[in-house]
Amino acid sequence: MFFGRVMGWLLIGLAVIMASADAVLALGPAEYAGIITADVVTLIAGHAPDTTDAGSALAVALLDMPAWMAVGLLGLSLSIACRKRQRQRRFVFRR
Protein backbone atom coordinates (compact mmCIF):
# COMPACT_ATOMS: atom_id res chain seq x y z
CA MET A 1 0.00 0.00 0.00
CA PHE A 2 2.85 2.37 0.77
CA PHE A 3 4.38 1.80 -2.67
CA GLY A 4 1.02 2.52 -4.33
CA ARG A 5 0.63 5.80 -2.45
CA VAL A 6 4.15 6.88 -3.33
CA MET A 7 3.68 6.01 -7.01
CA GLY A 8 0.33 7.81 -7.05
CA TRP A 9 1.86 11.00 -5.64
CA LEU A 10 4.78 10.76 -8.07
CA LEU A 11 2.37 10.44 -10.98
CA ILE A 12 0.38 13.43 -9.74
CA GLY A 13 3.61 15.44 -9.53
CA LEU A 14 4.55 14.34 -13.05
CA ALA A 15 1.10 15.41 -14.26
CA VAL A 16 1.62 18.89 -12.78
CA ILE A 17 4.98 19.16 -14.55
CA MET A 18 3.42 18.00 -17.83
CA ALA A 19 0.57 20.50 -17.49
CA SER A 20 3.02 23.35 -16.92
CA ALA A 21 5.03 22.25 -19.98
CA ASP A 22 1.81 22.20 -21.99
CA ALA A 23 1.01 25.73 -20.79
CA VAL A 24 4.46 26.94 -21.82
CA LEU A 25 3.93 25.43 -25.27
CA ALA A 26 0.55 27.13 -25.53
CA LEU A 27 1.99 30.54 -24.64
CA GLY A 28 4.93 30.24 -27.03
CA PRO A 29 5.13 32.03 -30.39
CA ALA A 30 4.91 28.84 -32.48
CA GLU A 31 1.79 26.92 -33.40
CA TYR A 32 0.25 25.17 -30.37
CA ALA A 33 0.51 21.39 -30.48
CA GLY A 34 -0.27 19.87 -27.10
CA ILE A 35 1.29 16.70 -25.75
CA ILE A 36 -1.23 13.89 -26.17
CA THR A 37 -1.15 10.49 -24.50
CA ALA A 38 -0.44 8.67 -27.78
CA ASP A 39 2.85 10.57 -28.07
CA VAL A 40 3.91 9.52 -24.58
CA VAL A 41 2.93 5.88 -25.21
CA THR A 42 4.90 5.94 -28.48
CA LEU A 43 7.97 7.29 -26.68
CA ILE A 44 7.75 4.65 -23.94
CA ALA A 45 6.81 1.62 -26.06
CA GLY A 46 8.85 2.46 -29.16
CA HIS A 47 5.95 2.04 -31.57
CA ALA A 48 2.53 3.57 -32.14
CA PRO A 49 -0.34 1.98 -30.17
CA ASP A 50 -2.66 -0.33 -32.10
CA THR A 51 -6.32 0.67 -31.80
CA THR A 52 -7.95 -1.93 -34.09
CA ASP A 53 -9.34 -4.04 -31.24
CA ALA A 54 -12.97 -4.26 -30.13
CA GLY A 55 -12.58 -1.48 -27.55
CA SER A 56 -10.99 0.88 -30.05
CA ALA A 57 -13.40 3.76 -29.38
CA LEU A 58 -12.37 3.87 -25.73
CA ALA A 59 -8.69 3.43 -26.61
CA VAL A 60 -8.82 6.25 -29.16
CA ALA A 61 -10.55 8.50 -26.63
CA LEU A 62 -7.90 7.77 -24.00
CA LEU A 63 -5.02 8.24 -26.43
CA ASP A 64 -6.39 11.58 -27.65
CA MET A 65 -6.53 13.00 -24.12
CA PRO A 66 -3.84 15.44 -23.03
CA ALA A 67 -1.01 13.49 -21.44
CA TRP A 68 -1.15 15.41 -18.16
CA MET A 69 -4.80 14.51 -17.73
CA ALA A 70 -4.29 10.78 -18.31
CA VAL A 71 -1.26 10.62 -15.99
CA GLY A 72 -3.06 12.73 -13.36
CA LEU A 73 -6.14 10.51 -13.39
CA LEU A 74 -3.95 7.42 -13.08
CA GLY A 75 -2.04 8.92 -10.14
CA LEU A 76 -5.22 10.12 -8.43
CA SER A 77 -6.92 6.75 -8.74
CA LEU A 78 -3.80 4.95 -7.49
CA SER A 79 -3.42 7.23 -4.48
CA ILE A 80 -7.11 6.87 -3.59
CA ALA A 81 -7.08 3.09 -3.99
CA CYS A 82 -3.99 2.73 -1.78
CA ARG A 83 -4.94 5.23 0.93
CA LYS A 84 -4.73 4.43 4.61
CA ARG A 85 -7.99 3.22 6.02
CA GLN A 86 -8.94 3.18 9.64
CA ARG A 87 -9.75 -0.24 10.95
CA GLN A 88 -13.33 -0.61 11.97
CA ARG A 89 -13.64 -2.43 15.24
CA ARG A 90 -16.77 -4.45 15.36
CA PHE A 91 -18.16 -6.46 18.21
CA VAL A 92 -16.15 -4.68 20.85
CA PHE A 93 -17.36 -5.53 24.32
CA ARG A 94 -17.29 -2.51 26.62
CA ARG A 95 -18.32 -2.43 30.26
Side-chain angles (χ1 to χ4, degrees), residues 2-86:
F2 177 74
F3 181 71
R5 281 193 307 259
V6 169
M7 286 303 297
W9 280 107
L10 287 175
L11 286 174
I12 290 172
L14 181 64
V16 169
I17 292 171
M18 292 172 90
S20 64
D22 210 15
V24 168
L25 284 174
L27 295 174
E31 181 181 337
Y32 173 66
I35 305 168
I36 61 173
T37 308
D39 295 340
V40 175
V41 170
T42 302
L43 285 173
I44 292 172
H47 56 84
D50 185 22
T51 57
T52 59
D53 295 336
S56 64
L58 179 63
V60 169
L62 288 175
L63 291 173
D64 285 340
M65 290 174 63
W68 61 268
M69 189 181 300
V71 172
L73 287 175
L74 181 65
L76 183 67
S77 62
L78 190 60
S79 63
I80 287 174
C82 296
R83 71 184 186 272
K84 284 186 179 179
R85 294 184 179 100
Q86 292 182 354

